[in-house]
Amino acid sequence: MMFKLAFRNIFRQHVRTAITLAAIVFGVVGLILGGGFVRDIFFQLGEALIHSQSGHLQVVKTGYFTYGSRSPEKFLITDAQPLKRELAKIPEIQEVLERVSFTGLLNNGKTDWPIVADGVEPDSEARLGSFMQIVEGRQLSQKDNFGVTVGQGVAKALNLKPGDRVSLLVNTPEGALNTMELDIVGIFQSFSKDYDARFIRLPLPAAHELLGSQGINSLVISLKQTSDTEVVSAKLKATLNQEQYESRTWVQLNDFYEKTVALYKQQFGFLQLIILIMVLLSVANSVSMSIFERTGEFGTIMATGSRPLDVIKMLATESAMLGLIGSVLGVVFGIAAALLISKIGIPMPPPPNANLGYMATIQLSAIDIFISFMIGFVATTVACIWPGMRVTKLPVIDALRQNQI
């Protein structure tokens, strides 16, 4: 009986009910779109880092991540094939790539430029590096015995273009100096300006010849799905000899990502709080006006023997029904708006310290939708409590006088 009466009451004032529902719907839609937009930022940033630099996971000699940047030659994996075959047996892994990293000086005949070089398997790296753009020339291939691709920042610093020849000077693991003439086949642009300003890539055989060593520094793992990262990481920790090898996920390899996620989560949490307060105040204002106009009605209800608690229960039921209707409509409109926006796309400029812009979408998530729904529903339900308590504290005789106005 109470539900039927509450349903009739909320639609007695069409305009006020419409305004209240609009506030709820707007709040829920805003939360769904905001949450989906932030989630898409996390996804796009993660995929850009994975598919232009780090891969999903990396396996290295123990200690390389701590000390390898200063002495990578001390952490070489000299016989990688058995480990590579073992990793390839894990069903979630799509491909395992070999890399060797070293520092040197790149010379264009006039100027030296300090660089970090990656000796890579070109065809495999081309499949992994789907977010790495070739802005001039072409992608490095297995046929380029002495070819090299350079970052856009390196090319700008040395005034390089495809077809130019450069020399690369390095220290070998034994401490000797060695140099090699290389042909520029392409200029790449990755997600990071810092990466493009220092990194070059050359075929693994050329890197081995230059260093006088057949070792590698890391096995880069490409997964079939990014969502399997933690599962594969757990498998690696269980199977790898921890005294000899260690592994890290792409999140651990990219400190910038973790800091960005923490920043946006704080910002979105603050946005959720603002929308919650906005919905709460809007609904509270509408409910307060409705309750004030119905003071005489409540006086009559209490005069017939109903307790103040019964009046508050009725108001809470009305607000809960209003919150339920508004939140359901908000979810429907929010999902529709998210799908429409995702179909069109939102052109985004490059993030800080990045080169590449991207097309943003709205990533729908069941968790975000549920939280948005609950915020709209709970805020509406809670909004009636304070004005309901105020009106029930009025003496019944004063409340009945409102019927005469």
Side-chain angles (χ1 to χ4, degrees):
M1 181 64 181
M2 182 177 290
F3 288 101
K4 184 177 179 180
L5 182 62
F7 187 79
R8 292 175 59 186
N9 285 338
I10 63 175
F11 287 105
R12 285 195 303 177
Q13 295 289 337
H14 301 290
V15 175
R16 188 168 292 116
T17 298
I19 293 172
T20 306
L21 286 175
I24 301 168
V25 170
F26 178 80
V28 173
V29 170
L31 286 170
I32 291 175
L33 296 182
F37 180 70
V38 171
R39 192 173 291 276
D40 182 70
I41 291 175
F42 297 162
F43 172 79
Q44 297 274 9
L45 176 59
E47 291 300 303
L49 293 171
I50 290 167
H51 293 288
S52 65
Q53 296 179 25
S54 65
H56 290 94
L57 300 103
Q58 291 187 16
V59 176
V60 299
K61 275 284 189 73
T62 300
Y64 175 75
F65 291 125
T66 306
Y67 308 106
S69 59
R70 287 175 288 180
S71 304
E73 70 279 357
K74 295 180 181 179
F75 299 91
L76 291 176
I77 301 173
T78 53
D79 186 11
Q81 294 308 311
L83 178 59
K84 191 174 180 179
R85 287 192 294 269
E86 189 70 22
L87 295 176
K89 295 177 183 178
I90 299 176
E92 292 87 358
I93 292 178
Q94 184 171 32
E95 198 168 7
V96 181
L97 298 72
E98 299 179 30
R99 281 186 193 171
V100 60
S101 300
F102 54 94
T103 59
L105 289 175
L106 195 67
N107 184 281
N108 64 352
K110 299 178 182 178
T111 308
D112 289 325
W113 187 255
I115 54 88
V116 179
D118 278 339
V120 300
E121 299 174 288
D123 292 346
S124 297
E125 289 285 348
R127 288 189 290 271
L128 173 65
S130 55
F131 273 71
M132 184 173 285
Q133 297 183 2
I134 299 297
V135 293
E136 291 185 56
R138 58 176 175 80
Q139 190 72 261
L140 193 67
S141 73
Q142 295 289 147
K143 298 178 181 179
D144 297 312
N145 296 327
F146 298 100
V148 62
T149 56
V150 301
Q152 194 174 41
V154 176
K156 185 177 180 180
L158 294 178
N159 194 26
L160 299 175
K161 60 184 184 300
D164 289 348
R165 175 162 287 196
V166 293
S167 61
L168 178 58
L169 177 67
V170 301
N171 279 316
T172 66
E174 288 77 19
L177 290 176
N178 197 7
T179 186
M180 177 179 286
E181 296 291 321
L182 298 167
D183 297 315
I184 305 291
V185 300
I187 298 171
F188 63 76
Q189 185 183 55
S190 71
F191 175 78
S192 170
K193 287 183 180 179
D194 291 340
Y195 186 89
D196 295 347
R198 292 295 175 190
F199 274 78
I200 69 170
R201 288 185 167 186
L202 66 158
L204 195 58
H208 285 158
E209 182 178 338
L210 182 62
L211 295 171
S213 168
Q214 296 301 307
I216 62 169
N217 292 120
S218 60
L219 289 172
V220 180
I221 296 174
S222 173
L223 301 180
K224 297 174 183 176
Q225 297 181 29
T226 302
S227 57
D228 292 330
T229 300
E230 293 302 326
V231 173
V232 176
S233 177
K235 290 182 179 180
L236 292 179
K237 289 178 180 178
T239 57
L240 291 176
N241 181 350
Q242 297 300 314
E243 294 183 0
Q244 189 174 7
Y245 300 109
E246 61 178 321
S247 65
R248 286 192 183 180
T249 66
W250 62 271
V251 176
Q252 295 169 321
L253 291 167
N254 296 287
D255 183 58
F256 169 75
Y257 178 82
E258 289 187 301
K259 292 178 179 177
T260 302
V261 168
L263 174 64
Y264 276 104
K265 280 186 176 179
Q266 287 184 351
Q267 291 179 340
F268 184 60
F270 185 65
L271 174 64
Q272 285 179 317
L273 179 62
I274 290 175
I275 293 178
L276 173 62
I277 294 172
M278 180 193 70
V279 173
L280 191 62
L281 292 177
S282 299
V283 175
N285 179 62
S286 179
V287 169
S288 296
M289 293 177 64
S290 176
I291 290 174
F292 176 76
E293 292 174 355
R294 296 167 61 190
T295 302
E297 173 191 337
F298 299 140
T300 303
I301 292 174
M302 289 187 290
T304 57
S306 296
R307 298 171 300 169
L309 183 60
D310 295 327
V311 175
I312 294 176
K313 285 182 179 178
M314 185 177 69
L315 289 173
T317 303
E318 292 177 13
S319 294
M321 293 185 69
L322 201 61
L324 179 64
I325 295 170
S327 297
V328 169
L329 290 174
V331 167
V332 171
F333 287 129
I335 292 174
L339 294 175
L340 178 61
I341 292 172
S342 297
K343 186 175 182 180
I344 298 172
I346 308 170
M348 297 294 293
N353 196 42
N355 279 322
L356 302 176
Y358 64 97
M359 191 67 72
T361 61
I362 305 297
Q363 295 275 343
L364 289 173
S365 163
I367 294 176
D368 289 341
I369 292 172
F370 177 73
I371 291 175
S372 302
F373 173 86
M374 289 305 298
I375 286 177
F377 176 72
V378 172
T380 308
T381 305
V382 171
C384 75
I385 295 176
W386 175 246
M389 292 176 64
R390 286 183 60 188
V391 77
T392 55
K393 287 181 179 180
L394 283 174
V396 174
I397 190 65
D398 291 337
L400 288 172
R401 288 196 183 102
Q402 300 295 321
N403 288 325
Q404 301 174 7
I405 299 177

